[in-house]
Amino acid sequence: MNRNTKINLLLLLVVAALAVLPLALGLGDHKEEPFTGADGEAETAITEIEPDYEPWFSPLYEPPSGEIESALFSLQAALGAGVLAYYFGLHRGRRQGEQRALERVTEEAAAGAAEQSKADRV
């Protein structure tokens, strides 16, 4: 197993642990809704500190359920990951293409120099 494979497996194990450990250790058991987002936590904290607080803005679209809200958030995350993956893949492909073109030019120049020295000897 090469070094990159070992690193990838270790990273996969860490990601899996980060996903499973909070559930296995029961880190959200003391809450009514254990794994709500930061928005819900912030709203609770603000209403505890200042009960008369009125938000400045309201959402443009309020999803009818938490499942739809989670699905839209997941879609947004997937689109963002796709854009980043496309950018990095494109950047790497261009770099590899430039490197291959440079190698080809170098090989052609070396072959041309070898043929020229053969012609000079004759």
Side-chain angles (χ1 to χ4, degrees):
M1 194 179 317
N2 68 15
R3 183 172 182 258
N4 286 338
T5 304
K6 289 179 184 177
I7 290 172
N8 287 339
L9 286 175
L10 179 64
L11 289 173
L12 184 63
L13 182 67
V14 168
V15 168
L18 285 173
V20 172
L21 282 177
L23 298 172
L25 297 175
L27 295 178
D29 288 346
H30 64 282
K31 296 181 179 179
E32 187 177 316
E33 294 182 33
F35 297 104
T36 59
D39 292 344
E41 295 288 329
E43 184 179 345
T44 303
I46 289 170
T47 53
E48 286 177 8
I49 295 170
E50 185 67 43
D52 298 331
Y53 176 76
E54 296 254 349
W56 293 359
F57 300 101
S58 61
L60 296 176
Y61 171 70
E62 187 82 32
S65 70
E67 291 83 11
I68 294 175
E69 185 176 358
S70 294
L72 290 173
F73 182 76
S74 299
L75 178 64
Q76 178 185 0
L79 288 172
V83 168
L84 286 175
Y86 174 78
Y87 170 76
F88 287 120
L90 183 68
H91 183 68
R92 181 175 181 178
R94 284 183 179 170
R95 189 177 58 220
Q96 286 177 347
E98 289 172 358
Q99 185 178 12
R100 288 180 185 158
L102 182 62
E103 289 172 0
R104 191 177 313 130
V105 167
T106 305
E107 289 172 1
E108 289 174 358
E115 287 180 20
Q116 183 65 32
S117 71
K118 262 187 191 178
D120 290 344
R121 285 187 218 152
V122 175

